[in-house]
């Protein structure tokens, strides 16, 4: 793999030189493409109309899909947020590291400064790098003081700029962090956060349900902020607290401003939206518009944010030179802890369709996500069935930017640039999917390791795909993972089990 990486990077660097020489004699030198990665939260494969949704329309995402490549077998590294984001930014599967599960809002940063990361590689290649939106990878060194400079964080692992929702919309502290500081903080009203004992005397969802505009269905009954009770307790920071209804607009404006400010240089923007995570509290422009309750409304809101990003790229004449990706951090969930009508108003909409399961699940619905890549200058529009994983952004964009990676860097990131650009029909030859258990995909085959966990998550009604026996599915004929072939095909099952064991025991992925 290392050899392959160096060769590819070398060839690309040579090509880049040739291009520069050729174009210098004609006109301006060729510039590296901007990269904009729009990362939805909990948006399912079947939640977008370009993947078959009919009850909900996502015209902006559909337009990008029509102008670019729509992938049907693209994966987040995991079925929940923190491990997917960790793996995407480091190029290392999260299951290789302890402490990379769903984090509380006061967790320490889990990516060590100095490591090779997706932004650090691009920064080295001359990109200006920014992250706007949901972080959920921890900040500081533990028990961070939100009233002082908050570090280390994104700026210490390769980003030049950040504007963050520190953890999730449903976790305290409910404030934005820009670079090293909480925005709008009144020093006379300091913030305190606790994920253990209650602090302060502010109302909680548990004690004061009469103050709530959205009620929890499970968990989420601690400090009330903006009429919504959260996970965790906070006090203080009143002037700095976000208003959920405005969150999509606030972060989209920051993302647009980043693009405007850096239009003259190659930039990388990681725009991680809060939608469609809970609490789903759409702006009045979208409230009631989907007919599917707030979950449908925030899908429309997300689509509109995608439209705003596409619009600014058009307005600034950058669209042709920008590699734009729209994808999601894990599969969908309907009831994720608030009584927001998502279940009652779902109708026949199937958020993970045609896949089984969803967020938290070993089934394909856990990690198989919407994935659209547009780069008008380079890509021929179409549909790709290549197997790709978000961990691969690091090695692939490194190659695109002419960077060579250290041997130890990004151990599970494969350079699949030809697949991402539609020049090859094949991406990886395998991928490991992470939920409670690990699964191995090889071509159409999927092996789920034996697992003792529950089959159904009672609270979210998600089929988790846990089974004390091994499971083997042939996805080309049984995409819904209904017929377990493990007993019929003991040899293939044993081979896949062996390869998964080897991947787990080894320290890096290999193969195509
Ligand atoms: C769960 C939360 C869920 C969501 C999830 C993280 C409860 C009962 N459930 O623990 O609401 O916040 O964590 O989602 O608290 S993720 O997309 O960030 O991984
Ligand atoms: Ca998520």
């Amino acid at each position: 793999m290392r050899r392959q990486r160096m060769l590819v990077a070398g060839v690309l660097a040579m090509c880049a030189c040739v291009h520069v020489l050729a174009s210098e004699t004609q006109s301006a030198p060729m510039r590296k493409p901007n990269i904009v990665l729009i990362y939805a939260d909990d948006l399912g494969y079947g939640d977008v109309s370009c993947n078959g949704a009919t009850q909900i329309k996502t015209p902006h995402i559909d337009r990008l899909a029509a102008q670019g490549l729509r992938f049907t077998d693209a994966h987040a590294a995991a079925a929940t947020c923190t491990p997917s984001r960790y793996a995407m930014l480091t190029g290392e599967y999260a299951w290789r590291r302890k402490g990379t599960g769903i984090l509380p809002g006061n967790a320490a940063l889990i990516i060590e400064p100095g490591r090779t990361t997706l932004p650090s590689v691009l920064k080295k290649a001359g990109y200006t790098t920014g992250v706007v939106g949901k972080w959920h990878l921890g900040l500081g060194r533990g028990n961070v003081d939100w009233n002082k400079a908050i570090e280390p964080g994104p700026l210490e692992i390769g980003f030049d700029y950040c504007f963050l929702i520190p953890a999730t919309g449903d976790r305290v502290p409910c404030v934005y962090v820009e670079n090293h500081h909480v925005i709008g903080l009144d020093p006379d009203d300091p913030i305190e956060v606790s994920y253990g004992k209650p602090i302060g005397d502010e109302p909680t969802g548990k004690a004061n349900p009469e103050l709530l505009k959205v009620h929890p269905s499970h968990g989420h009954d601690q400090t009330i902020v903006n009429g919504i009770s959260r996970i965790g307790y906070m006090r203080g920071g009143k002037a700095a607290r976000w208003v959920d209804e405005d969150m999509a607009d606030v972060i989209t404006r920051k993302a647009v401003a980043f693009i405007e400010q850096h239009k003259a240089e190659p930039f990388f923007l990681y725009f991680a939206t809060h939608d469609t995570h809970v609490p789903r509290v759409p702006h009045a422009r979208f409230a009631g518009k989907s007919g599917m309750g707030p979950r449908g409304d925030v899908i429309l809101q997300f689509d509109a944010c995608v439209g705003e990003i596409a619009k600014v790229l058009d307005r600034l004449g950058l669209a042709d030179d920008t590699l734009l990706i729209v994808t999601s951090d894990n599969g969908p969930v309907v009831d994720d802890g608030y009584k927001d009508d998502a279940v009652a108003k779902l109708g026949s909409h199937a958020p993970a369709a045609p896949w089984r399961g969803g967020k938290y699940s070993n089934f394909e619905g856990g990690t198989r996500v919407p994935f659209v890549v547009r780069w008008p200058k380079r890509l021929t529009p179409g549909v790709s069935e290549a197997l790709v994983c978000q961990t691969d952004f690091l090695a692939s964009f490194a190659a695109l930017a002419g960077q060579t990676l250290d041997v130890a860097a990004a151990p599970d990131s494969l350079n699949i640039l030809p697949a991402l650009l539609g020049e090859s029909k094949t991406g990886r030859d395998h991928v490991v999917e992470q939920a409670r258990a690990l699964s191995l995909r090889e071509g159409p085959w999927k092996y789920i390791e034996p697992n003792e966990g529950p089959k159904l998550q009672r609270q979210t009604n998600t089929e988790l795909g846990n089974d004390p026996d091994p499971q083997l599915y042939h996805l080309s004929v049984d995409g819904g993972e209904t017929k377990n072939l493990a007993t019929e095909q003991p040899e293939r099952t044993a081979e896949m089990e062996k390869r998964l064991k080897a991947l787990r025991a080894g320290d890096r992925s290999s193969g195509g």
Side-chain angles (χ1 to χ4, degrees), residues 91-354:
E92 177 185 57
Y93 287 135
W95 46 264
R96 295 198 191 282
R97 291 274 181 134
K98 283 209 165 69
T100 53
I102 299 172
L103 293 177
N106 59 353
L109 177 68
I110 57 171
I111 301 175
E112 306 85 352
R115 265 181 91 165
T116 299
T117 62
L118 177 57
S120 79
V121 165
L122 291 172
K123 188 173 162 137
K124 220 164 140 194
Y127 280 72
T128 300
T129 55
V131 49
V132 173
K134 174 173 169 177
W135 184 240
H136 212 188
L137 292 165
L139 289 169
R141 294 191 174 82
N143 283 327
V144 64
D145 184 343
W146 300 92
N147 308 292
K148 299 195 172 135
I150 298 161
E151 54 187 309
L155 304 196
E156 285 67 42
I157 62 155
F159 286 105
D160 295 308
Y161 172 75
C162 70
F163 183 90
L164 308 175
I165 298 159
T168 62
D170 57 348
R171 283 174 174 74
V172 301
C174 301
V175 294
Y176 299 114
V177 170
E178 189 166 36
N179 296 328
H180 288 135
H181 294 276
V182 169
I183 288 298
L185 182 64
D186 172 358
D188 293 332
D189 184 27
I191 296 176
E192 231 182 295
V193 165
S194 162
Y195 274 80
K197 288 196 183 113
I199 45 167
D201 51 7
E202 291 194 30
T204 63
K206 194 166 183 187
N208 307 88
E210 74 284 359
L211 298 178
L212 296 175
K213 60 182 176 194
V214 184
H215 289 261
S217 59
H218 52 274
H220 303 102
D221 60 358
Q222 299 175 345
T223 301
I224 298 176
V225 174
N226 188 30
I228 302 162
S229 47
R230 318 277 167 160
I231 308 172
Y233 300 95
M234 77 176 285
R235 77 166 158 212
K238 288 247 163 71
R241 295 183 183 189
W242 65 49
V243 175
D244 304 75
E245 289 81 346
D246 297 335
M247 188 178 269
D249 287 342
V250 168
I251 61 176
T252 302
R253 270 200 299 272
K254 291 288 174 183
V256 166
F258 179 85
I259 293 173
E260 283 169 340
Q261 274 156 26
H262 301 289
K263 63 181 182 206
E265 59 218 50
F267 59 82
F268 166 57
L269 171 64
Y270 167 37
F271 178 35
T273 67
H274 163 64
D275 293 324
T276 60
H277 200 279
V278 296
R280 303 169 182 131
V281 195
H283 188 270
R285 302 198 301 288
F286 302 99
K289 291 289 159 26
S290 68
M292 287 174 63
R295 184 170 191 279
D297 299 344
V298 299
I299 294 176
L300 299 184
Q301 183 167 272
F302 172 70
D303 186 60
C305 293
V306 172
E308 287 303 308
I309 300 296
K311 196 163 94 188
V312 68
L313 294 174
D314 283 340
R315 175 161 59 78
L316 299 176
L318 297 175
D320 278 355
D321 285 314
T322 301
L323 175 66
L324 175 59
I325 297 173
V326 181
T327 185
S328 175
D329 70 335
N330 51 251
V333 56
V334 184
D335 177 352
D336 206 15
Y338 290 97
K339 291 179 189 157
D340 61 6
D341 264 357
V343 176
K345 297 200 168 148
L346 191 62
S348 58
H349 178 66

Side-chain angles (χ1 to χ4, degrees), residues 369-391:
V369 285
F371 195 100
V372 168
V373 181
R374 184 189 75 164
W375 183 9
K377 208 171 227 173
R378 237 349 240 281
L379 278 183
T380 312
V383 176
S384 173
E385 293 178 3
L387 178 63
V388 300
C389 181
Q390 293 162 0
T391 50

